[in-house]
Amino acid sequence: MCIMQFDHVAIPSNDIAKSVEWYQSHFGAEVLFQDKTWAFLNLGGTKLALVTPTQHPPHVAVKVSEDELTLAATRADVRIDLHRDGTRGIYVQDPFGNAVELICYPPGKTSYESV
Amino acid sequence: MCIMQFDHVAIPSNDIAKSVEWYQSHFGAEVLFQDKTWAFLNLGGTKLALVTPTQHPPHVAVKVSEDELTLAATRADVRIDLHRDGTRGIYVQDPFGNAVELICYPPGKTSYESV
């Protein structure tokens, strides 16, 4: 197993705009992507996702290549999700049920090529 | 409010050694600190804490200076905790109850000066 790159942490919010304002005003967070049910922030050098609990579980995410994602999905026998921002991913669970996302940024196909 | 630095994300585990082994074998995580009730890992460039649910809540943490921590603790009217690794911190809550730790690494007093 190679060493992978941490990508983001996602925490729940029932009012994305309210949470975004809180993380901006308290910690100087920068908005990378935002809509009514989801946001992606730069919180002091790491990406923080705000997720609607009915859409995504709280999770940590590691960045993988397209090949690594395909291999992991095959091994886990799960379907790869295509997200609104162009990223693709699957969820696995650690031994105590914490969700870990394997996320892939297909070159040229996401909203934030420079992130 | 200045822009602060993201420090770590903490997720729950009821068997620290088992979780450490899982994050090592799946993602090449590196152990920075570990005992029976807590661990601190380098997960792909970001610190991941494994916490016993009875000791710490799941949380994200931002790094602050000693002065910033003292000011925040005074404003929140809470006591600053001294941790086993020499760090000091307080918890605040975002609008939806997610715990956010403000953590300080007093120079020369922590287990990982180079982290």
Side-chain angles (χ1 to χ4, degrees), chain A residues 1-104:
Chain A
M1 169 59 65
C2 62
I3 296 174
M4 293 183 178
Q5 184 182 342
F6 185 90
D7 190 74
H8 67 265
V9 53
I11 61 176
S13 167
N14 289 316
D15 183 331
I16 299 297
K18 185 173 182 178
S19 292
V20 166
E21 191 281 330
W22 193 85
Y23 282 93
Q24 285 179 315
S25 64
H26 283 73
F27 303 116
E30 171 196 7
V31 176
L32 303 174
F33 189 104
Q34 181 179 355
D35 63 20
K36 286 188 177 177
T37 63
W38 187 68
F40 218 16
L41 308 179
N42 177 349
L43 176 63
T46 292
K47 288 179 281 189
L48 175 73
L50 298 166
V51 295
T52 308
T54 54
Q55 291 198 348
H56 298 281
H59 61 270
V60 295
V62 294
K63 191 174 180 177
V64 297
S65 69
E66 294 186 86
D67 288 347
E68 288 169 332
L69 182 62
T70 300
L71 179 62
T74 302
R75 283 181 174 165
D77 193 22
V78 295
R79 188 175 57 86
I80 295 174
D81 294 322
L82 174 60
H83 305 137
R84 69 196 82 178
D85 59 2
T87 61
R88 302 167 71 225
I90 65 170
Y91 289 107
V92 296
Q93 288 194 329
D94 81 1
F96 296 98
N98 299 296
V100 179
E101 184 181 19
L102 305 186
I103 189 169
C104 166

Side-chain angles (χ1 to χ4, degrees), chain B residues 7-105:
Chain B
D7 190 73
H8 67 267
V9 52
I11 61 177
S13 166
N14 289 315
D15 183 331
I16 299 298
K18 186 174 182 178
S19 292
V20 166
E21 192 281 332
W22 192 85
Y23 283 93
Q24 284 179 313
S25 63
H26 283 73
F27 303 115
E30 172 196 6
V31 176
L32 303 173
F33 189 104
Q34 180 180 355
D35 63 21
K36 286 189 176 176
T37 62
W38 187 70
F40 217 18
L41 308 178
N42 177 349
L43 176 63
T46 291
K47 287 178 282 186
L48 174 73
L50 298 166
V51 295
T52 308
T54 53
Q55 290 197 348
H56 299 281
H59 61 270
V60 295
V62 294
K63 191 173 179 177
V64 296
S65 69
E66 293 187 86
D67 287 348
E68 288 168 332
L69 182 62
T70 300
L71 179 61
T74 301
R75 283 180 174 165
D77 194 23
V78 295
R79 188 175 56 86
I80 295 173
D81 293 321
L82 174 60
H83 304 137
R84 69 195 85 178
D85 57 3
T87 62
R88 302 167 70 224
I90 65 170
Y91 289 107
V92 297
Q93 288 194 330
D94 81 2
F96 296 97
N98 298 298
V100 179
E101 184 181 20
L102 305 185
I103 189 169
C104 166
Y105 291 72

